[in-house]
Amino acid sequence: MDWYDVIYKKTTFSQSHNFSVNGGTDKFNYYTSFNYLDQGGLMKLGSEGLNRYNATAKINATLTNWLKMNYSMRFDREDYKRPSSLTSGLYSDMARQGWPVLPLYDRNGYYYESWALSLASGGTDKTQTDNSYHQIGFVIEPIKNWLTHIEFNYHIKSQNRHWDKQYTYNHDVSGNPIIFDTSSNVHEDYYKENYYNFQVYSEYTRSFLEKHHFHIMGGFQAEDLKQTQFGLQTYGILIPDKPEIDMTSGLGYDGITITPSTNGSRNEWTTAGFFGRLNYDYNGKYLLEVNVRDDGTSRFRPGHQWKLFPSVSMGWNIAQEKFFQPLNDLINSLKLRASYGSLGNQNTNNWYQTYQTMSVTSSGGDWLQNGVKPNIAQAPGLVSEHLTWETIQSYDLGLDWGLLDNRLTGSFDYYIRNTKNMVGNAPELPAILGTDVPVTNNTDLRTLGWELAIGWKDQLSNGPYYSVNFNVSDARTKITRYPNNSTNSLSSYIPGRYINEIWGYQTIGIAKTQGEMDKHLSSLPNGGQDALGQNWGAGDIMYADLNGDGKISSGAYTLSDHGDLKVIGNSTPRYLFGLDLNANYKSFDMRIFLQGVMKRDYWIGGNYLFGATSGGQWWSVGITKVKDYFRDANTWSVQNGYQTENVDAYLPRPLYSDKNVQTQTRYLQNAAYIRLKNMQIGYTIPSELTSHLGISNLRIFFSGENLLTGTKLAKQFDPETISSYSGNGYPLSKTFSFGLSVTF
């Protein structure tokens, strides 16, 4: 059995339909739209798919000559279902348990004992999510050019999740069911969010002497989010086709009562802020903008809740200067920009980060008291009462240009971004503390980066129009402050070092013979490679002694004592780029969009790359991409004639050990890639053929996504999903779409 072929479909069908209507007058106009999406899943076993419904309505009305109103509403519903056992564990189980010799069915045609059995008949997980958005706004203009805006936004999110876990059965030779999984339950989850956002701001615009243009604005904003959630799980489904809470017995398969499990909580956070802006424009040449925000949040303690965030930007439109006019025929626009700005970030991973919270659990004790488990409460962890806003300070210098009648346009930005008082990793303290160290505002980092965008658009004399747009950017981030100076452990932030550094060993190669390995070990008289493992031989990795101490080790794994480790790469994506090509001729149009990353190192390791690790037999994987492993005349499969020797293999010999799978240069992956992200070809039917039907525009099109990928990454991994589930998550789909667009 090819278990990936058993589990995943080669193709699945999806459809999307959009409908919109608009109309009205200058004083009253409306817009409404509806969208339906039916997206099939890629799972062959069990039921999987997504349905989504969207509806939008907008109204704009001029009530008087000084008062305008606008209202918009959007509703969307998502219905998603999947097999209950389709969890993150499936992605590892497919590779480690999907042995080719494991049958899918027994000889009578029933599913054989495996996780495929639970996918096919182990229950369904259904989630329905509703989002309702309402926005109402008023624009008041009592005096010309003085506008006051009052806006209120309200978002309701409701989510109901129902999943059931069914008993699963194998069958004996006569076809009689034999219980396999003795657990069945029904679970209901309810989640609701209420989000309010209110803002009022007033702005005034005034010009003097036709050259001086001012705009001033000030306002207030407040938001509040309330969350409610609870869940219930009961056991013992009575009728498999009716998995409801009311139709469970509360008993296990053995007839013993199982106490239902419950959960529930309420949370809330609130922010408020005052803001202001001043714009000045002198004759379109000199531009100035000053902003200031004063934000407060409920997540921090009094005295640490409010923070002021100013920003300023300036621009010089050089092309408007008199001395530049002789070049205007060639250079149509040229603007130099400079800016400084600061923003705040709350960056907390729980709702009440600065308060000690005590968890209370019903029947959570480990020891019976009077025949039952007692209720328990756990001592709260340590917190920092002084936790406050992170401050992100950005400095930017930019240049915009337009040449040759603005056919050649572009922009370049160089920026420095300082993150001050970032909530960083908790510093290391002795284990005698007895609890986790609280997070604090203990880290500063600096990002240096640049962005370049170039575009060309033109129309040829014989009619075709085309455009080319290219953008590329790069950034690197370095830690500038962190309380790790005492140890400088490589597992934590280190001041002066770039984030995402990959420390590893320098690989000499794979020993092709025992003699080659013995010779290598003899050059390491002070311990050889024993710090990494034992019984070194043919097919094992030979590591380089970089510090010359006669042994291979990672030392104390600190910056001052890292043994033979060195920086072998960095997992930060570098030189991100996109290329957008557009063309149309007569009734045909075409678009091609490519994107990618020019430089990225990535260490995967683990069984998906090496096949076998210290996880042992039951965590080994048998995918074809790990078959290029070392084999010599002493290998069992070679001795018995099942395979030929492969002493020039890419992978070392497979062992239930991690000694050969240490982070190292030989197996560091090059995760750079280029991908044809989208290609679309369309044809608009001439209006003279459709106008008599009341159709003003009729276009048919073909679109493809993720069509081609170029990468040096190992073939079992995808460069865009490599970070999920050790690179073996839900597959990225290649999509082909055929569509019709009609305008009446």
Side-chain angles (χ1 to χ4, degrees):
M1 303 301 304
D2 180 345
W3 281 95
Y4 283 87
D5 184 61
V6 168
I7 298 300
Y8 291 123
K9 301 175 184 176
K10 289 285 191 293
T11 60
T12 189
F13 180 73
S14 299
Q15 56 180 321
S16 177
H17 304 276
N18 301 277
F19 176 78
S20 64
V21 177
N22 63 81
T25 65
D26 291 340
K27 292 190 174 182
F28 180 85
N29 55 76
Y30 63 88
Y31 169 86
T32 183
S33 67
F34 177 77
N35 167 265
Y36 169 67
L37 171 68
D38 173 17
Q39 189 174 68
L42 290 172
M43 305 299 296
K44 282 184 179 179
L45 303 177
S47 181
E48 184 201 15
L50 171 71
N51 288 309
R52 186 179 67 208
Y53 310 84
N54 290 333
T56 302
K58 298 180 181 180
I59 296 174
N60 296 288
T62 300
L63 304 180
T64 69
N65 58 0
W66 54 269
L67 178 62
K68 296 180 180 179
M69 184 201 78
N70 60 78
Y71 171 75
S72 65
M73 181 276 293
R74 188 172 91 246
F75 173 79
D76 64 71
R77 166 169 288 182
E78 284 191 357
D79 289 315
Y80 173 66
K81 61 181 178 180
R82 64 175 180 87
S84 295
S85 60
L86 176 55
T87 62
S88 59
L90 172 71
Y91 306 125
S92 61
D93 290 344
M94 283 178 60
R96 73 183 183 92
Q97 294 181 344
W99 293 13
V101 296
L102 179 68
L104 177 61
Y105 302 104
D106 64 22
R107 61 183 63 186
N108 290 323
Y110 297 105
Y111 283 112
Y112 186 71
E113 174 187 328
S114 68
W115 35 261
L117 173 65
S118 62
L119 284 173
S121 58
T124 304
D125 183 352
K126 300 178 181 179
T127 301
Q128 183 176 88
T129 305
D130 290 342
N131 284 285
S132 179
Y133 303 85
H134 299 269
Q135 181 184 65
I136 186 169
F138 296 92
V139 180
I140 306 170
E141 189 176 9
I143 300 174
K144 185 179 180 180
N145 297 327
W146 178 25
L147 303 176
T148 298
H149 303 260
I150 302 174
E151 297 178 358
F152 179 74
N153 297 275
Y154 182 37
H155 171 211
I156 305 172
K157 178 180 179 180
S158 297
Q159 187 176 81
N160 291 287
R161 184 182 182 189
H162 168 100
W163 80 73
D164 59 274
K165 184 177 183 297
Q166 302 279 353
Y167 297 122
T168 56
Y169 299 87
N170 284 147
H171 297 79
D172 63 18
V173 70
S174 300
N176 299 310
I178 306 296
I179 190 69
F180 171 63
D181 190 333
T182 60
S183 173
S184 79
N185 57 66
V186 178
H187 190 103
E188 297 285 351
D189 262 338
Y190 173 79
Y191 178 89
K192 187 173 184 179
E193 275 185 3
N194 287 281
Y195 173 77
Y196 310 86
N197 186 317
F198 171 78
Q199 65 176 356
V200 55
Y201 61 96
S202 193
E203 56 182 336
Y204 182 69
T205 303
R206 185 69 184 271
S207 298
F208 299 95
L209 303 176
E210 298 183 352
K211 293 185 178 182
H212 302 276
H213 308 286
F214 289 90
H215 177 263
I216 187 170
M217 183 265 289
F220 169 78
Q221 179 184 26
E223 56 182 346
D224 179 86
L225 185 142
K226 296 179 179 179
Q227 177 200 79
T228 303
Q229 57 184 342
F230 60 83
L232 169 66
Q233 182 167 303
T234 60
Y235 300 84
I237 297 175
L238 295 173
I239 303 175
D241 291 340
K242 303 293 183 183
E244 299 293 341
I245 292 290
D246 287 347
M247 302 191 72
T248 56
S249 65
L251 304 176
Y253 189 77
D254 53 8
I256 298 176
T257 300
I258 303 177
T259 303
S261 58
T262 60
N263 66 278
S265 65
R266 300 178 190 274
N267 295 291
E268 181 178 8
W269 59 258
T270 303
T271 66
F274 299 89
F275 54 88
R277 176 183 299 162
L278 172 66
N279 294 89
Y280 172 69
D281 168 9
Y282 175 73
N283 203 27
K285 298 180 183 178
Y286 312 114
L287 311 171
L288 173 68
E289 180 177 297
V290 179
N291 288 276
V292 63
R293 290 191 64 95
D294 191 18
D295 289 319
T297 176
S298 65
R299 296 207 178 196
F300 306 133
R301 293 289 187 95
H304 303 281
Q305 294 176 319
W306 288 87
K307 187 76 172 180
L308 190 69
F309 303 104
S311 63
V312 60
S313 62
M314 297 175 289
W316 179 25
N317 195 341
I318 304 173
Q320 295 294 319
E321 296 285 0
K322 289 184 179 180
F323 67 79
F324 204 84
Q325 290 180 358
L327 298 175
N328 283 161
D329 291 338
L330 174 64
I331 304 175
N332 311 111
S333 64
L334 185 65
K335 183 188 293 184
L336 182 64
R337 297 176 282 104
S339 66
Y340 162 79
S342 62
L343 292 173
N345 184 13
Q346 300 179 57
N347 194 19
T348 59
N349 58 10
N350 72 50
W351 296 72
Y352 310 104
Q353 186 79 58
T354 62
Y355 294 87
Q356 288 188 312
T357 56
M358 179 180 293
S359 61
V360 180
T361 306
S362 174
S363 302
D366 293 330
W367 298 92
L368 295 178
Q369 296 184 14
N370 297 324
V372 297
K373 291 184 176 181
N375 301 333
I376 63 171
Q378 293 179 319
L382 299 178
V383 300
S384 170
E385 297 182 1
H386 302 289
L387 202 67
T388 188
W389 291 87
E390 295 179 355
T391 301
I392 303 171
Q393 301 172 338
S394 298
Y395 304 83
D396 184 275
L397 185 64
L399 182 68
D400 304 321
W401 65 84
L403 288 73
L404 305 174
D405 293 328
N406 284 321
R407 289 177 295 171
L408 177 61
T409 59
S411 66
F412 178 81
D413 285 86
Y414 177 80
Y415 62 87
I416 301 173
R417 183 178 299 123
N418 293 322
T419 303
K420 299 290 188 179
N421 290 322
M422 188 178 81
V423 179
N425 297 329
E428 294 183 359
L429 290 178
I432 195 173
L433 178 65
T435 188
D436 293 334
V437 182
V439 296
T440 58
N441 299 94
N442 59 12
T443 304
D444 295 341
L445 56 83
R446 169 171 289 187
T447 300
L448 302 179
W450 56 267
E451 300 175 358
L452 172 66
I454 299 177
W456 172 268
K457 59 182 180 180
D458 197 10
Q459 186 169 10
L460 302 181
S461 58
N462 57 349
Y465 168 85
Y466 68 96
S467 67
V468 179
N469 294 283
F470 175 76
N471 64 79
V472 60
S473 63
D474 183 40
R476 301 184 73 187
T477 300
K478 180 183 291 187
I479 301 297
T480 56
R481 177 179 70 93
Y482 180 71
N484 190 27
N485 295 330
S486 60
T487 62
N488 277 334
S489 171
L490 301 185
S491 61
S492 187
Y493 293 144
I494 300 177
R497 308 292 302 190
Y498 288 106
I499 65 171
N500 299 324
E501 286 183 334
I502 302 173
W503 288 77
Y505 295 100
Q506 177 71 44
T507 313
I508 297 175
I510 298 175
K512 296 183 179 181
T513 64
Q514 183 66 50
E516 185 177 4
M517 175 55 74
D518 292 341
K519 182 179 179 181
H520 169 65
L521 295 177
S522 66
S523 68
L524 304 169
N526 297 324
Q529 299 185 157
D530 289 350
L532 306 181
Q534 304 294 319
N535 301 318
W536 297 91
D540 289 336
I541 296 294
M542 297 180 293
Y543 299 99
D545 182 14
L546 298 183
N547 64 355
D549 64 354
K551 61 181 180 181
I552 304 299
S553 77
S554 60
Y557 204 68
T558 64
L559 186 61
S560 59
D561 181 11
H562 49 79
D564 300 297
L565 296 176
K566 69 173 185 177
V567 176
I568 62 174
N570 192 297
S571 62
T572 300
R574 304 283 308 278
Y575 311 113
L576 287 71
F577 69 91
L579 179 63
D580 193 4
L581 308 173
N582 293 270
N584 62 65
Y585 178 62
K586 294 184 178 179
S587 297
F588 291 93
D589 61 88
M590 182 176 184
R591 182 194 183 216
I592 296 175
F593 176 65
L594 300 102
Q595 72 173 37
V597 173
M598 296 184 189
K599 177 177 173 56
R600 189 186 189 191
D601 304 311
Y602 205 88
W603 175 256
I604 300 174
N607 47 6
Y608 291 104
L609 182 65
F610 291 95
T613 65
S614 61
Q617 176 181 359
W618 304 112
W619 285 92
S620 299
V621 305
I623 57 178
T624 57
K625 302 304 180 183
V626 303
K627 66 181 180 181
D628 186 13
Y629 62 86
F630 180 90
R631 301 182 293 274
D632 63 8
N634 297 317
T635 305
W636 179 89
S637 59
V638 175
Q639 290 178 336
N640 289 273
Y642 295 110
Q643 291 179 306
T644 58
E645 293 188 37
N646 187 20
V647 296
D648 295 316
Y650 173 64
L651 296 173
R653 60 172 175 160
L655 297 171
Y656 300 142
S657 164
D658 285 340
K659 68 179 186 179
N660 287 324
V661 301
Q662 299 291 317
T663 305
Q664 58 188 284
T665 55
R666 180 180 177 90
Y667 301 109
L668 185 69
Q669 296 295 302
N670 180 355
Y673 74 95
I674 181 172
R675 171 163 281 162
L676 178 53
K677 198 64 180 177
N678 177 266
M679 182 179 72
Q680 187 170 126
I681 301 173
Y683 177 73
T684 302
I685 297 177
S687 59
E688 57 266 22
L689 300 179
T690 61
S691 58
H692 67 283
L693 300 174
I695 299 175
S696 60
N697 184 277
L698 178 59
R699 178 176 178 266
I700 56 176
F701 64 89
F702 161 78
S703 178
E705 297 181 4
N706 302 319
L707 299 181
L708 297 171
T709 302
T711 182
K712 294 182 178 180
L713 193 64
K715 300 300 182 183
Q716 62 266 46
F717 305 109
D718 185 276
E720 288 193 79
T721 62
I722 191 173
S723 301
S724 63
Y725 306 117
S726 300
N728 191 41
Y730 194 89
L732 189 70
S733 59
K734 181 183 295 184
T735 305
F736 301 92
S737 304
F738 299 88
L740 180 70
S741 176
V742 185
T743 303
F744 295 92

